[in-house]
Amino acid sequence: MLTSKEWDIVTRTTLFASLGPEDLEKLFDKSPVLALRRNQQLFSEGDPANLLFLVLDGQVKLSRLAPEGAEAVVHVFGPGETFAEAAMFMGGRYPVTATAVTAARLVGVSNERLKALVLVKPEIAFAMLASMARHLKVLVAQIEQMKLLTTRQRAIRFLLDHCGRTGGAATFALPHDKALIANRLGMKAETFSRALASLSDYGVAVVGGKVSIEDVNRLVLLLDD
Amino acid sequence: MLTSKEWDIVTRTTLFASLGPEDLEKLFDKSPVLALRRNQQLFSEGDPANLLFLVLDGQVKLSRLAPEGAEAVVHVFGPGETFAEAAMFMGGRYPVTATAVTAARLVGVSNERLKALVLVKPEIAFAMLASMARHLKVLVAQIEQMKLLTTRQRAIRFLLDHCGRTGGAATFALPHDKALIANRLGMKAETFSRALASLSDYGVAVVGGKVSIEDVNRLVLLLDD
DNA sequence: CGGTTATTTGACGGGTATCAAACACCGTGG
DNA sequence: CCACGGTGTTTGATACCCGTCAAATAACCG
């Protein structure tokens, strides 16, 4: 089911990088490969959780949904990233909803097999713990941002986090819809739009999802207000 | 160093509950027991992390600090809870600052010994993963709250989460300072105060840290606005 | 090209933060 | 026992950020 390029992704994923070919073979044998279309739901809050997922292509968001249709995006995962590891230790139910942001391909990994593998090869428990520790750190950073920074500062930090440089000029593409980015940052799309607009005075231009920053250092200074 | 009552706490802690006496002995042999006074710092963001901690008595908060003195409380831990498990998998540095909220006693557990133990007894890796999964869930809930709920709704949910009942009347004590609770909920102390005051029309009275709720169901209804 | 979905922009109102002052609470020491 | 200072809490007045609603514009896709 997996192409050879996709196998490359699997073997490079931090969660599985420590495993030998034979273990990988066992783990992924007959594993379901899913093709999701944009906006298709993978699982909902409260669904029984038997699989964790590795993104092969596209993007998947995890979110909590409020009754009236409002949603709180918790994280967005891209190729090579795994999610829902935690569910297998939380009473076997997913605590969030997973939805494809773009068309996406994923492979599901059996919780049971992974647990069995941990008992045989404890080293991979470290990989799982490291993976979850990473997620924890991301969430902590998110909480910190929302509590301490203004919408403008959050927008700036988002740009800084994604420009891939620490100084000089930079150009890059936004990873997804502005509405989704806004939600990740804990603000409304309109507010995010205005925040970006307010940065045009400081050498930031955003057109059609492409960002160009004249001088990254100037943005860093703006963070202090 | 540990009293027998404190040993009881250790053995009942979910992280260690699966261990036999001999393993516990090895793990805690000569482990540092710390007595912190109120507001004393245990470690800071960026400090090298060699220990994870179990709270024996009192409360400890984890937070991120902004340069100007603002702080974002991530979580508060009480007796029987462990924290900083994640640090040992994140490059060996604490990503947050830990401070005693009240006078507190803790015991530090060696990362190295715990890692060694995982290799010998893989089952305890499950306990660690479960512990981290719990933390993840708490953080997700926190993010959801801040993104989807008004300050008033967050205050109500806090009361509901701590009253220990699902209907009828309830009385209980607030777990700590209102300022700290407010920070946990992502609002200012004044705002929290007003939120509580606004609930007096609905059978909620708070005097001297003691909360009494006439009818929990009424509060649940209030969540919808 | 037309229809749908994103994004922008504007006007407006409300919820929260901020600042400031009064007040309650508590342990300490006189 | 009361005075006292420090800390925590409440309350009020004000400002402003941000969300909401609405409409216009732009981008996208079949």
Side-chain angles (χ1 to χ4, degrees):
Chain A
M1 294 288 257
L2 292 175
T3 68
S4 69
K5 283 196 190 85
E6 289 174 340
W7 260 111
D8 279 0
I9 294 176
V10 171
T11 56
R12 269 199 287 274
T13 299
T14 54
L15 225 192
F16 305 117
S18 63
L19 294 178
E22 67 291 344
D23 287 324
L24 281 177
E25 195 61 57
K26 254 187 288 184
L27 202 54
F28 282 88
D29 179 44
K30 294 202 276 288
S31 284
V33 175
L34 307 167
L36 300 179
R37 58 184 181 282
R38 179 178 159 82
N39 291 330
Q40 188 178 352
Q41 212 173 71
L42 177 59
F43 55 76
S44 303
E45 258 176 273
D47 282 358
N50 307 308
L51 298 171
L52 68 86
F53 295 93
L54 166 61
V55 181
L56 298 169
D57 191 34
Q59 295 173 328
V60 177
K61 69 179 173 188
L62 298 187
S63 57
R64 296 277 282 250
L65 303 174
E68 320 81 24
E71 91 172 313
V73 174
V74 173
H75 199 94
V76 179
F77 294 94
E81 296 186 302
T82 54
F83 62 92
E85 298 103 325
M88 59 197 277
F89 302 103
M90 287 300 304
R93 306 237 156 220
Y94 296 114
V96 293
T97 297
T99 314
V101 171
T102 66
R105 269 174 73 81
L106 323 169
V107 55
V109 179
S110 157
N111 285 351
E112 291 312 321
R113 285 193 222 170
L114 198 55
K115 281 188 183 177
L117 196 55
V118 168
L119 291 176
V120 181
K121 295 214 161 199
E123 313 86 30
I124 89 125
F126 292 147
M128 294 197 66
L129 286 162
S131 177
M132 286 182 56
R134 241 190 324 279
H135 292 173
L136 267 174
K137 200 178 160 198
V138 171
L139 296 191
V140 166
Q142 206 176 130
I143 290 172
E144 178 201 14
Q145 275 199 49
M146 293 184 54
K147 286 188 179 176
L148 298 179
L149 303 181
T150 66
T151 53
R152 178 173 219 245
Q153 290 170 319
R154 278 176 266 166
I156 294 174
R157 236 170 76 160
F158 182 86
L159 296 180
L160 257 20
D161 288 347
H162 289 263
C163 71
R165 316 184 88 270
T166 62
T171 307
F172 61 99
L174 292 174
H176 27 246
D177 277 1
K178 285 181 184 159
L180 178 52
I181 296 173
N183 195 326
R184 276 178 68 172
L185 296 177
M187 67 186 83
K188 294 292 147 170
E190 296 93 321
T191 304
F192 183 52
S193 175
R194 284 184 237 268
L196 289 181
S198 80
L199 296 177
S200 62
D201 297 340
Y202 301 90
V204 176
V206 183
V207 290
K210 298 272 180 272
V211 183
S212 51
I213 302 173
E214 280 178 19
D215 182 6
V216 169
N217 294 313
R218 190 130 58 112
L219 274 191
V220 174
L221 295 176
L222 259 188
L223 277 178
D224 300 331
D225 202 13
Chain B
M1 295 287 257
L2 292 176
T3 68
S4 69
K5 282 196 192 85
E6 289 174 342
W7 261 111
D8 279 2
I9 294 176
V10 171
T11 56
R12 270 199 287 275
T13 299
T14 54
L15 225 193
F16 305 117
S18 63
L19 295 177
E22 67 290 343
D23 287 326
L24 281 177
E25 196 62 56
K26 251 187 291 185
L27 201 55
F28 282 88
D29 180 44
K30 294 203 276 288
S31 285
V33 176
L34 307 167
L36 300 178
R37 59 184 181 283
R38 181 179 158 81
N39 291 329
Q40 189 178 352
Q41 211 172 72
L42 178 59
F43 55 75
S44 303
E45 258 179 271
D47 282 357
N50 306 308
L51 298 171
L52 67 86
F53 295 94
L54 166 60
V55 181
L56 298 169
D57 191 34
Q59 295 174 329
V60 176
K61 69 180 173 189
L62 298 187
S63 56
R64 295 278 282 252
L65 303 175
E68 320 81 24
E71 92 172 311
V73 174
V74 173
H75 200 90
V76 179
F77 294 95
E81 296 186 302
T82 54
F83 61 91
E85 298 102 324
M88 60 196 277
F89 302 103
M90 286 301 305
R93 305 235 156 223
Y94 295 114
V96 294
T97 297
T99 313
V101 171
T102 67
R105 270 174 72 83
L106 323 168
V107 54
V109 180
S110 156
N111 285 350
E112 291 313 321
R113 287 193 221 169
L114 198 56
K115 280 189 182 174
L117 196 55
V118 167
L119 292 175
V120 181
K121 296 213 161 201
E123 313 86 31
I124 89 124
F126 292 149
M128 296 196 65
L129 286 162
S131 177
M132 287 182 57
R134 241 190 325 277
H135 291 173
L136 267 174
K137 201 179 159 198
V138 170
L139 296 190
V140 166
Q142 206 175 131
I143 290 171
E144 178 201 15
Q145 275 199 47
M146 293 183 54
K147 286 188 180 176
L148 298 178
L149 303 181
T150 65
T151 53
R152 179 175 218 248
Q153 289 170 319
R154 278 176 266 167
I156 294 174
R157 239 172 72 161
F158 182 86
L159 296 180
L160 257 20
D161 288 347
H162 289 263
C163 72
R165 315 184 89 270
T166 62
T171 307
F172 61 99
L174 293 174
H176 26 247
D177 277 1
K178 285 180 184 161
L180 178 52
I181 296 174
N183 194 326
R184 276 177 70 172
L185 297 176
M187 67 186 81
K188 296 293 155 188
E190 297 93 320
T191 304
F192 183 54
S193 175
R194 284 184 237 269
L196 289 181
S198 80
L199 297 177
S200 62
D201 297 341
Y202 301 89
V204 176
V206 183
V207 290
K210 299 271 180 273
V211 183
S212 51
I213 302 174
E214 279 178 19
D215 182 6
V216 169
N217 294 314
R218 190 132 58 111
L219 274 191
V220 174
L221 296 176
L222 261 187
L223 277 177
D224 301 331
D225 204 14

